[in-house]
Structure formats: structure tokens, C-alpha cells
Amino acid sequence: MPQPFQTRPLTVNTKKSADYCLNCSNEATIEALFDLEGAVLVRKYCNDCLLSAKYEES
Ligand SMILES: [Zn+2]
């Protein structure tokens, strides 16, 4: 997993159901944007999993 080039807090939209972390079943709080060879990939994580994603060696 490459490191995200940008992260931003996930704004809670009360009209929608909650988004869940990609790695676990916790509610997602952060969006991480990955630049994959020109394509931007957005993944949602909880705080704990964002740290793992951020510091994992690619
Ligand atoms: Zn998580």
C-alpha cells in the first residue's frame, strides 16, 4: 500500500448511512487519498487503521 499523499477528516453526512473503515468494521473518520500512477484513489479508514496505512512500507 503506497502512502497517502493527502488525508482529510471525513465529514459526517447525517442523511446517509455511516461509512465504514476499509480494514475493520469501525466507523470511518478519515479519507486517505492515494496517487496511483495518475489516478486518485480514495480510501476511508478509522484513526487506528489510517496509521497502519500511512506507515506501512510499500
Ligand atoms: Zn479501521
Side-chain angles (χ1 to χ4, degrees):
M1 177 75 75
Q3 294 188 354
F5 70 92
Q6 185 184 342
T7 58
R8 59 192 182 197
L10 200 58
T11 53
V12 176
N13 185 346
T14 53
K15 293 176 183 173
K16 268 171 43 174
S17 58
D19 289 308
Y20 293 98
C21 175
L22 193 71
N23 284 347
C24 67
S25 56
N26 288 336
E27 191 172 331
T29 57
I30 303 255
E31 272 184 338
L33 282 69
F34 297 90
D35 185 356
L36 298 182
E37 298 179 3
V40 175
L41 192 68
V42 178
R43 292 285 165 88
K44 293 167 185 171
Y45 295 101
C46 66
N47 280 323
D48 290 344
C49 292
L50 178 68
L51 289 177
S52 306
K54 204 172 193 174
Y55 294 116
E56 185 176 346
E57 296 290 331
S58 59

